[in-house]
Amino acid sequence: MNMERYLRKYGGISIILSMILAILALFLIFRPEASITIVMRIIAIILLITGIVHVISYFSSSKEFKSISIELIEGIISIILGIIIFVNPIAITSLLPIIIGCWILIQSIFRMQIAFNLKAADSSNWKVVLLLSILNLILGIVILFNPFASLVAITTICGIMLLVTEIINIVESISIMLKLN
């Protein structure tokens, strides 16, 4: 296949994929709560499938492998988590921002310590590190005190970023295809 034909085929596929992803981005922007539920249900299905695969793998293994394998436990836990998440995705979703908020808080505290260590080492950029760690600390606190609104905002921002990216991809693909004509 020559390069021009390849680029035309790639450009066409790229435009179609970008349009699909742009529609997904609009869904993330305008329906963030529903998007979160759908993502959680997809995660639940993946956990269910993974769990079933682990259970089947365990029972189809040799006796020697079964004695040291944790696949049955992994499989059962994955199946249980998958069912719980699938049945009640909103409840599980509400925990996600709390985990993210705690993680951001912990990371910002570590970064503050690094900033003070840099100051003690007479580094000139300790103020920037301290400022960014304080901003992260504030972000972590906001997420913890309003977790679901934060998750909706994050989902909306991801949708906007995805939409911008896909518009750029469509323009690039069209530009390449026009240059081939």
Side-chain angles (χ1 to χ4, degrees):
M1 178 186 305
N2 68 20
M3 182 61 80
E4 185 176 322
R5 208 166 91 202
Y6 171 78
L7 288 173
R8 284 182 199 276
K9 182 179 176 184
Y10 173 78
I13 292 170
S14 178
I15 290 171
I16 292 169
L17 182 60
S18 291
M19 292 172 110
I20 291 168
L21 289 173
I23 292 168
L24 172 63
L26 292 171
F27 189 69
L28 290 171
I29 293 167
F30 295 110
R31 299 286 311 246
E33 297 92 353
S35 301
I36 294 165
T37 302
I38 290 170
V39 168
M40 292 307 288
R41 288 231 163 99
I42 291 170
I43 290 170
I45 291 168
I46 291 169
L47 282 169
L48 285 168
I49 292 170
T50 303
I52 291 168
V53 168
H54 279 297
V55 170
I56 291 170
S57 176
Y58 174 81
F59 284 112
S60 63
S61 303
S62 65
K63 288 181 183 179
E64 297 82 26
F65 182 72
K66 284 181 185 177
S67 65
I68 60 169
S69 173
I70 60 167
E71 278 201 284
L72 182 61
I73 295 169
E74 273 184 285
I76 292 171
I77 291 172
S78 291
I79 290 170
I80 291 170
L81 285 174
I83 291 170
I84 291 170
I85 292 170
F86 194 84
V87 170
N88 200 352
I90 298 299
I92 302 302
T93 301
S94 64
L95 294 175
L96 190 59
I98 294 168
I99 294 168
I100 292 170
C102 287
W103 177 255
I104 291 172
L105 279 175
I106 292 167
Q107 288 298 311
S108 65
I109 291 167
F110 286 141
R111 298 282 185 230
M112 279 184 197
Q113 178 63 47
I114 290 171
F116 292 125
N117 291 348
L118 289 171
K119 180 182 180 187
D122 292 326
S123 178
S124 61
N125 63 346
W126 73 272
K127 291 177 186 175
V128 173
V129 175
L130 181 63
L131 177 66
L132 293 175
S133 65
I134 291 170
L135 290 174
N136 272 342
L137 182 72
I138 293 168
L139 176 65
I141 292 169
V142 168
I143 290 173
L144 282 176
F145 282 105
N146 199 353
F148 196 70
S150 300
L151 188 60
V152 170
I154 290 169
T155 303
T156 304
I157 290 168
C158 287
I160 291 168
M161 292 169 57
L162 180 61
L163 182 61
V164 169
T165 300
E166 295 314 317
I167 289 171
I168 291 169
N169 286 343
I170 290 170
V171 170
E172 285 177 346
S173 295
I174 291 172
S175 174
I176 290 170
M177 291 177 74
L178 288 174
K179 288 182 181 181
L180 293 174
N181 289 333

